Amino acid sequence: MSAAAERHWATLLRAALLGTERNPAPPPPADGSALGDALAAVAAETPETALLSAAALLAAYRRAGLVPARDDRPLAESAAEERASVCPPPATRHLATMLGGTYDALLPEWMEAAARGGFIAPPELLPALLDAATRDERLRAHLPAVAGERGRWLAAQRAEWALVLGSGVDAGRADEPGDGWETLPAEARPGVLAEIRGRDPARGMALLRSTWAAEAPRERAALLQALETGLSMEDEPFLEAALDDRRKEVRTAAAGLLARLAGSCLVARMTERARRWLVVSPAKTGLLAKLTGGAGEPVIELHLPEAVDKAMERDGVTGKPPYGVGERGWWLAQALGAVPPRTWSLAGGCAPRDLVAAAAKTEWRDVLINGWATATLRHRDAEWAEPLVPRPELTRWHLADFDGTSLLEVLPPERAEAVVLATIRPLRTLETGDVLHLVSGVMHPWSAEYTREVLRRATSAKPYTVQMIREFISAWLPRMHLGAALSEAAAHPELLSTGQTAMLHHRHAMLEALKR
Amino acid sequence: MTEPAAAWTPERVLALAPDPSAARAGQGLAAVRKWVSTGSDGRTLWGECQGSGRTPYQVRVDTLEPAWRCSCPSRKLPCKHALGLFLLHASSPSSLPAGTPPPWVAEWIAMREERVEKRQAKAAEAAAKPVDAEAQAKRAARREERVTAGLDELERWMADLVRQGLAAARGRPAAFWEGMAARLVDAQAPGAARLVRELGTVATGGAGWEGRLLEALGRLRLLSAAWRRVDALPAGVQEDVRATLGFALRQEEVVALGTVRDRWLVLGQRVDEEERLRVQRSWLRGESTGRDALVLVFAHGREPLDTSLTPGTIVDASLAFHPSALPLRALVAERHAAPAGLGGLPGYPTVDQALGAYAAAVAAHPWLEEFPLALAAAIPVRNGGGWALRDAGGAVMPLWPRFGRGWELMALSGGHPVAVFGEWDGEALRPLSAFGGRRFIHFAAGAE
């Protein structure tokens, strides 16, 4: 449209804003243009109609004459040709349903199956999939395979996505922090750091060091937790320094991580302390033991300190004990928690099982079991995990805030299942919360046998308990062996709610749709 | 998500579901073992589904319309049984044995045919009936007088507004705009009333409100001026003036003007909420005629909306267009075959050509609010905080600022040109659908 038309429109607009009372409409431009002539010809009974009529004409004129803006900047590189094929329409539908929030617990399994089948997600669902992966790290393992070339291209357009799809902060030397890291929002940083650590721990550490001094105190603890991924002795100097941080949460987090590094100075210091406080010696092999039969149990002696010193506090032996635990016992539990548990079975010259049995007879058994269990988790000691897994008679030994069922994760899948099965086989139903919790502790995909044995006992005569069991079942459904679960559900329709049965069918359909 | 295919696909059937839970339940019923009996005669499907009651539910589906009827008590339309049966047919047509409809199905077919016949008979009767022409003319003349009086008042009101200035109008209470709108409703000019109500929205809007308000006032002035000399205007423009003022035509009158048969691509659809009325707007484009059409469907309160036009499909149908200098609004007079999936999205090659077509459209119909516009090969790009389309020559078309699905469009494109269809309002394009890499995506709820 012409500049004259724009000028005229501007004067019209000014007149209209102020009101024709004070500011009459301008006369049409007498420039001999078609627009000028047309404006001159419009009805003009009063100043107001003159203005409105001119506005009517010019509005249409401007609308029709719009000239588009131009952008001659070079375009970004386009996405590469896709090598894998987009998943078939039913699979697309399943993915859309789950990204919409229904059955979303099955998303990781969908991604795994899609990756196995060599399928990629359809482009229109990629933004939602990338969003989901920024929130849930379980979706990241198969993200590169499922997102395909298009996903990689798309992720590169947006910092949050670039970091979860791994194309954001990977180039360059490890001591040069990437552009993405510094500008990332605080709540996303721990997750991103963990993801980078998964690929390249040294790079993650370099990034963390680059911004550590400027990090807000309350963000520091969360960031430290992310070092759990890819933790190694390389991280020790940094963590050791963090023991002197001003904030308690940071010190606690650093001590917790150092306690996992068997070769760290903190573990050495804790071992030295714990061996003074707890003395384990081999079973008496004297005449009496021989007469009473068997090797006998190892001997446990305790020499607990009266106070904690500064050095102990620095290593994390501190804090108020949980309700019902004595101060001195709590110090011991904390020290034990850092010591590799083999230390004790070696000292006692016996199997972990025997030491656990001996500890059970002392007045300090809660403290000992708790400390050893913490250490077993930290040092991933399968041999120790098995006798420590809470059985009904053992559960109450564990101190508050300690989830003993997580010990199952230290065990190989078939051992974990065997341990739980040994506990539930004598039971007719899984009515108590402790047992349900124990069953939940098997985190990997369940075997057909485990699925069957659990489901057969997932009933109760008490209505309140039925509800509780149902809630547990909902959490188990994604882990259950599908064939076994479907046949149990078909044989005992009362076991599952309609929604749960539907979820199993969805799982089945979704896996079928992704088969090659 | 549509590939060129025959007839119904499960995706298209699922798009008919009234809500996600019905879609899920329907999928659960799309298995042969869920059905006591099923059958099909090519056009109509039927089946008996065991529900919680003693007798199985009787389910009937007409795949042409599509339409359904089920004996279950659900108030959803279509219910999960109809969806399940339809899905079963869509995923494997051979799973329903061919046969002749049992009595309970034949009855339904006959009833529907009868209804169509009745409607046609009524239309024929109405056309043939020697109407009381005198009384009708009297009524029409009385309405026209009222409209004229209403517009006279509107002129005075607008003159006052301009005399005191738009800056003062911005501070007016809602009742100021509402009052004038109500007087126009009383004057039987509901279309003008709606435009006045929109003035109130524009006046309290964000940056650039003054320009938009003056434009809107200009259009109203043009409408009122055109009404005064409506008889002197070309026939099509006369119709546009009347339609914009709110003179409605009856369906029979529109159909009587003739129909256009084509394979119509359903390019986009959206639903507007106006107080308690929902307006579903479906944009169609004729495959061989190249004509654009807008089918409006109204639903009051909780009434279900029409589901017979599914975006991403092609329907072989005869449309009847409302008379206009730029005929767009149309109604589906008759369908000839079940819908198929569309295999492409035709559009203008450049932004300049698209805007040229818009200029011609505005010249023909200056009250045009949304213009159907498709670009055949555009690359979506970031544009400040929003999105834009860029054609091969570098011309840029801004997208609607509230468009919330730019990343999906971006993902579909991958930096390659895609076809995008939407409504152009003179300033920005509101995308309704896109086609790229043999995939069609629809932005039904496109707002952020």
Side-chain angles (χ1 to χ4, degrees), chain A residues 9 12-13 15-22 43-49 51-53 55-57 59-81 86-87 89-90 92-94 97 102-103 122-127 150 153-154 157-158 161 505, chain B residues 1 10-11 14 24 27 33-34 87 155 158-168 209-212 214-215 217-219 221-222 228 351-352 355 358-360 362-363 366 368-369 379 381-382 390-391 393-397 407-408 410-416 424-427 439-441:
Chain A
W9 174 255
L12 266 187
L13 191 55
L17 260 176
L18 298 173
T20 47
E21 214 163 35
R22 276 169 291 172
E45 298 140 29
T46 65
E48 290 75 37
T49 45
L51 187 143
L52 285 169
S53 299
L57 188 66
Y61 182 85
R62 291 173 77 237
R63 218 154 246 260
L66 181 70
V67 177
R70 251 160 229 289
D71 181 356
D72 294 318
R73 288 172 302 174
L75 283 162
E77 202 171 317
S78 53
E81 188 80 20
V86 173
C87 63
T92 296
R93 215 157 54 227
H94 296 141
T97 305
T102 306
Y103 306 138
E124 68 274 14
L125 293 179
L126 285 172
R150 187 58 57 91
W153 177 87
L154 189 66
Q157 319 282 322
R158 206 173 173 186
W161 293 345
H505 286 291
Chain B
M1 263 154 281
E11 284 64 51
L14 280 171
R24 258 196 319 278
Q27 279 170 282
R33 65 194 154 79
K34 302 275 182 188
L87 278 171
E155 285 274 1
M158 288 200 294
D160 277 347
L161 205 149
V162 171
R163 196 174 307 120
Q164 289 161 25
L166 303 187
W209 67 274
E210 60 275 45
R212 283 195 294 276
L214 185 58
E215 274 188 36
L217 284 168
R219 269 202 299 277
R221 159 73 190 159
L222 186 64
R228 287 194 198 166
V351 172
D352 282 336
L355 292 183
Y358 175 66
V362 171
L368 182 70
E369 288 175 64
I379 296 179
V381 290
R382 304 302 312 258
R390 188 171 147 174
D391 71 12
V396 171
M397 173 167 270
W407 284 110
E408 276 166 69
M410 197 80 161
L412 184 77
S413 139
H416 302 282
W424 173 254
D425 65 3
E427 289 182 37
R439 302 184 78 77
F440 175 84
I441 59 175

Side-chain angles (χ1 to χ4, degrees), chain B residues 7 38 151 156 158 184 195 223 417 436 440:
Chain B
T38 54
L151 291 182
R156 285 193 296 276
M158 288 200 294
L184 284 168
L195 294 177
L223 183 63
F440 175 84

Side-chain angles (χ1 to χ4, degrees), chain B residues 86-136:
Chain B
F86 210 163
L87 278 171
L88 185 59
H89 162 77
S91 48
S92 65
S94 58
S95 55
L96 304 185
T100 41
W104 57 273
V105 180
E107 236 167 67
W108 182 62
I109 297 173
M111 196 185 72
R112 284 169 46 73
E113 275 168 3
E114 199 177 313
R115 208 180 302 154
V116 172
E117 276 162 23
K118 254 191 207 154
R119 206 182 306 142
Q120 285 168 348
K122 208 169 137 200
E125 201 181 319
K129 199 162 99 183
V131 285
D132 187 345
E134 203 178 324
Q136 214 173 38

Side-chain angles (χ1 to χ4, degrees), chain B residues 26-319:
Chain B
Q27 279 170 282
L29 289 173
V32 178
R33 65 194 154 79
K34 302 275 182 188
W35 296 85
V36 180
S37 72
T38 54
S40 158
D41 68 356
R43 170 173 168 172
T44 307
L45 321 173
W46 59 87
E48 290 178 293
C49 186
Q50 188 63 55
S52 46
R54 193 136 45 91
T55 48
Y57 295 131
Q58 299 183 321
V59 191
R60 289 144 277 205
V61 173
D62 176 357
T63 57
L64 182 54
E65 185 94 19
W68 26 75
R69 172 70 174 271
C70 179
S71 59
C72 79
S74 167
R75 297 185 63 185
K76 289 183 185 173
L77 279 175
C79 68
K80 61 180 178 182
H81 307 104
L83 276 173
L85 186 65
F86 210 163
L87 278 171
L88 185 59
H89 162 77
S91 48
S92 65
S94 58
S95 55
L96 304 185
T100 41
W104 57 273
V105 180
E107 236 167 67
W108 182 62
I109 297 173
M111 196 185 72
R112 284 169 46 73
E113 275 168 3
E114 199 177 313
R115 208 180 302 154
V116 172
E117 276 162 23
K118 254 191 207 154
R119 206 182 306 142
Q120 285 168 348
K122 208 169 137 200
E125 201 181 319
K129 199 162 99 183
V131 285
D132 187 345
E134 203 178 324
Q136 214 173 38
K138 224 183 222 168
R139 263 203 310 279
R142 205 157 49 230
R143 177 171 184 187
E144 287 177 5
E145 277 166 32
R146 280 204 191 129
V147 169
T148 306
L151 291 182
D152 283 347
E153 193 184 348
L154 175 67
E155 285 274 1
R156 285 193 296 276
W157 181 84
M158 288 200 294
D160 277 347
L161 205 149
V162 171
R163 196 174 307 120
Q164 289 161 25
L166 303 187
R170 186 164 163 85
R172 298 281 195 170
F176 171 73
W177 313 96
E178 200 44 56
M180 185 64 234
R183 291 198 291 281
L184 284 168
V185 171
D186 290 343
Q188 291 186 289
R194 189 177 63 82
L195 294 177
V196 168
R197 223 172 267 130
E198 270 169 24
L199 291 181
T201 316
V202 170
T204 51
W209 67 274
E210 60 275 45
R212 283 195 294 276
L213 184 57
L214 185 58
E215 274 188 36
L217 284 168
R219 269 202 299 277
L220 265 172
R221 159 73 190 159
L222 186 64
L223 183 63
S224 139
W227 175 249
R228 287 194 198 166
R229 46 186 291 262
V230 68
D231 294 331
L233 297 172
V237 181
Q238 288 190 21
E239 297 290 351
D240 289 331
V241 171
R242 293 176 67 88
T244 309
L245 283 167
F247 286 88
L249 290 176
R250 287 198 315 274
Q251 283 207 7
E252 304 87 75
E253 292 177 296
V254 178
V255 175
L257 294 172
T259 60
V260 182
R261 180 172 175 178
D262 202 342
R263 280 162 48 83
W264 299 93
L265 285 61
V266 187
L267 294 182
Q269 194 171 68
R270 69 182 175 90
V271 178
D272 260 351
E273 304 253 352
E274 290 176 7
E275 296 179 7
R276 299 201 49 228
L277 182 71
R278 279 171 303 149
V279 185
Q280 181 189 61
R281 312 156 56 82
S282 306
W283 289 104
L284 275 53
R285 166 167 270 246
E287 196 176 45
S288 50
T289 58
R291 287 183 69 161
D292 289 308
L294 171 65
V295 177
L296 299 184
V297 174
F298 302 91
H300 293 272
R302 297 189 55 194
E303 260 174 19
L305 279 165
D306 174 81
T307 48
S308 61
L309 293 174
T310 312
T313 62
I314 303 180
V315 287
D316 181 357
S318 297
L319 298 194

